[in-house]
Amino acid sequence: ILMNKKILICTGGTGGHVIPAVNFGNFLINKGFECSLILDKRGNKFSNNFMGKVFIIRSSHLSGNIFYKFNSLINLSIGLIQSLFFLNKIKPNICISFGSYATFMPLTALFFYKLFRNINLYLHEQNSVAGKVNLFFLPFTDSFFTNFEEVINLPEKYKKKKIYVGLPSDKRVNRDITQIENTSKKLILIYGGSQGAKNLINNFLLLIKTININELKKLKFIIQCPKKLEVSIEKYLLYLKVDYQIETFFYDIDNILSKTHIAITRAGAGTINDLIRHQVPSIIFPLPNSIYDHQYYNAKFLLDKKACIVLNEITFKLDDYSKDFNKLITDKKYFENMKESISKIILPDTNELILKTILNKNNE
């Protein structure tokens, strides 16, 4: 019955929102469904792999000075008109939204659209703390899909809508442990997600100075680095004679993670799922200014299972960082215990679970 229906996916902003949406959309298309994507210009750069039609709207958040807010309101108004136009063009029966400020206007337009056409709305929350847009539209959703088992700020009256499904991925990963053990050097990944991480890199550069020279020779560092920092960091690493590779963005992150021994990362939902899928022990610096401190709670999911080390960037102490890192690279039992802890976390088959729920709801 659902095969004849058109599915719209709303997303935008960062890769953390867009990539899971693209993964689920491609899964639907491979299953024979007609699926379209609405997102903003910022999020569009992460949608290259999407196999369906992509519609781009104007969008903005409302933080900043009065001039910025005024400009944002103009962009949001244009985004609303664009969303209405695209909704009328696509004529979807089902809408699935993956959060981000960029989904606010398409979901607002959906209310006008619902006056003339029946449409079912589903929301997906990637973080362990629900975002503002998802919280706003919670009363109007059929089901609230979550990446984490617990969403700490979910109002009691909406808990019956919550369905734990995990995060949509493009494939099931089987980590080849022998691939790691046969490499001559330990691979350390410094990875800030789709937005990069200047402070993460600066802290890492301080860390390198504390590593014993003989241990340093046994390591290779793969670093995600914003373009503007690349030259100065390369100069510093060459001076220290460190084995390294620098990229501004990882388009083959699964390939890199499949060979990684230890990751130094942020705590975006996608990153946490990547670490679990590839069973990578990690040192995590949650982004300190993340909305509702959601990155801390994402990281806490692994920390509670003894599957990572979490350090606070605000109260950062180099001695603690150095001790934790050196223990991970030199204490084999400590490393193996952390790897075993993370290997016990079982991720659900997200794409199938979401589709099964939608099919059941639409056949009721």
Side-chain angles (χ1 to χ4, degrees):
I1 296 170
L2 197 61
M3 284 292 181
N4 300 322
K5 297 194 176 183
K6 295 177 181 179
I7 301 172
L8 172 66
I9 293 178
C10 300
T11 185
T14 65
H17 290 286
V18 179
I19 293 166
V22 167
N23 289 339
F24 185 63
N26 285 340
F27 167 79
L28 290 174
I29 291 165
N30 285 328
K31 288 276 186 180
F33 298 101
E34 188 178 335
C35 186
S36 304
L37 196 65
I38 285 184
L39 41 60
D40 64 336
K41 188 179 176 183
R42 183 184 171 202
N44 187 44
K45 63 178 177 282
F46 305 108
S47 71
N48 296 337
N49 297 330
F50 185 62
M51 298 186 295
K53 288 181 181 175
V54 177
F55 299 91
I56 301 166
I57 60 161
R58 293 261 199 106
S59 189
S60 182
H61 49 78
L62 287 167
S63 56
N65 58 31
I66 292 170
F67 176 76
Y68 186 88
K69 283 186 171 74
F70 179 73
N71 196 46
S72 295
L73 287 169
I74 293 170
N75 280 323
L76 287 167
S77 301
I78 294 168
L80 178 62
I81 295 162
Q82 288 172 319
S83 297
L84 284 164
F85 176 77
F86 291 142
L87 277 167
N88 188 53
K89 189 175 181 178
I90 300 163
K91 294 182 171 58
N93 309 95
I94 291 159
C95 177
I96 307 152
S97 180
F98 281 79
S100 150
Y101 62 85
T103 63
F104 186 76
M105 281 310 167
L107 293 183
T108 302
L110 210 65
F111 280 91
F112 295 104
Y113 182 75
K114 275 170 83 85
L115 296 172
F116 308 99
R117 195 179 180 95
N118 184 39
I119 185 164
N120 294 325
L121 172 64
Y122 301 90
L123 301 176
H124 183 281
E125 178 54 59
Q126 59 169 356
N127 292 304
S128 51
V129 182
K132 291 176 183 176
V133 176
N134 275 350
L135 284 174
F136 185 84
F137 287 99
L138 251 179
F140 315 105
T141 185
D142 290 87
S143 298
F144 184 57
F145 300 122
T146 66
N147 176 30
F148 291 94
E149 290 177 65
E150 294 298 321
V151 178
I152 64 167
N153 62 338
L154 185 63
E156 191 67 39
K157 61 182 173 179
Y158 298 123
K159 285 187 177 174
K160 61 183 181 293
K161 291 187 177 187
K162 183 180 86 71
I163 303 171
Y164 165 57
V165 297
L167 198 70
S169 65
D170 59 348
K171 55 187 166 295
R172 309 292 289 176
V173 174
N174 294 311
R175 184 164 166 80
D176 182 2
I177 301 300
T178 57
Q179 192 177 27
I180 281 188
E181 291 168 350
N182 292 337
T183 53
S184 58
K185 292 188 175 185
K186 281 184 179 172
L187 212 61
I188 315 297
L189 174 64
I190 296 89
Y191 177 47
S194 68
Q195 299 181 83
K198 184 181 174 183
N199 289 347
L200 198 72
I201 292 165
N202 289 338
N203 290 342
F204 160 70
L205 294 177
L206 293 172
L207 173 72
I208 282 186
K209 292 180 184 176
T210 71
I211 303 169
N212 178 286
I213 191 76
N214 293 322
E215 288 298 331
L216 205 55
K217 287 175 184 174
K218 299 174 190 173
L219 308 175
K220 179 176 180 178
F221 300 95
I222 295 185
I223 306 159
Q224 183 194 19
C225 173
K227 195 78 180 165
K228 59 186 175 184
L229 296 177
E230 210 170 301
V231 176
S232 59
I233 288 166
E234 283 206 75
K235 192 176 176 183
Y236 182 74
L237 295 174
L238 283 167
Y239 168 74
L240 290 174
K241 296 177 181 171
V242 173
D243 190 0
Y244 72 91
Q245 178 186 335
I246 287 183
E247 303 285 345
T248 52
F249 185 74
F250 299 123
Y251 291 97
D252 59 345
I253 188 66
D254 282 318
N255 180 41
I256 293 165
L257 280 163
S258 71
K259 300 167 188 170
T260 297
H261 291 80
I262 297 164
I264 298 169
T265 74
R266 287 300 193 199
T271 301
I272 299 296
N273 276 263
D274 286 342
L275 295 172
I276 295 168
R277 285 191 302 134
H278 292 277
Q279 299 171 27
V280 181
S282 59
I283 297 175
I284 299 176
F285 286 89
L287 192 68
N289 59 347
S290 60
I291 297 167
Y292 302 135
D293 205 17
H294 70 258
Q295 285 215 357
Y296 167 73
Y297 291 102
N298 289 354
K300 190 175 181 293
F301 174 78
L302 289 183
L303 183 67
D304 289 346
K305 294 170 172 59
K306 297 184 170 61
C308 74
I309 294 162
V310 176
L311 296 176
N312 187 323
E313 194 171 279
I314 305 293
T315 59
F316 170 75
K317 290 185 178 67
L318 185 58
D319 280 354
D320 293 341
Y321 190 9
S322 179
K323 280 174 191 169
D324 286 332
F325 181 79
N326 278 286
K327 192 173 184 184
L328 259 182
I329 61 170
T330 58
D331 188 334
K332 193 171 181 182
K333 191 177 180 193
Y334 181 66
F335 174 81
E336 291 297 337
N337 285 343
M338 193 179 288
K339 199 158 72 170
E340 188 182 347
S341 296
I342 203 164
S343 72
K344 288 177 181 174
I345 304 170
I346 306 299
L347 292 174
D349 191 350
T350 306
N351 295 328
E352 291 287 358
L353 273 173
I354 296 176
L355 180 57
K356 186 180 174 184
T357 303
I358 294 171
L359 285 168
N360 288 342
K361 290 272 183 185
N362 280 269
N363 288 335
E364 282 174 1

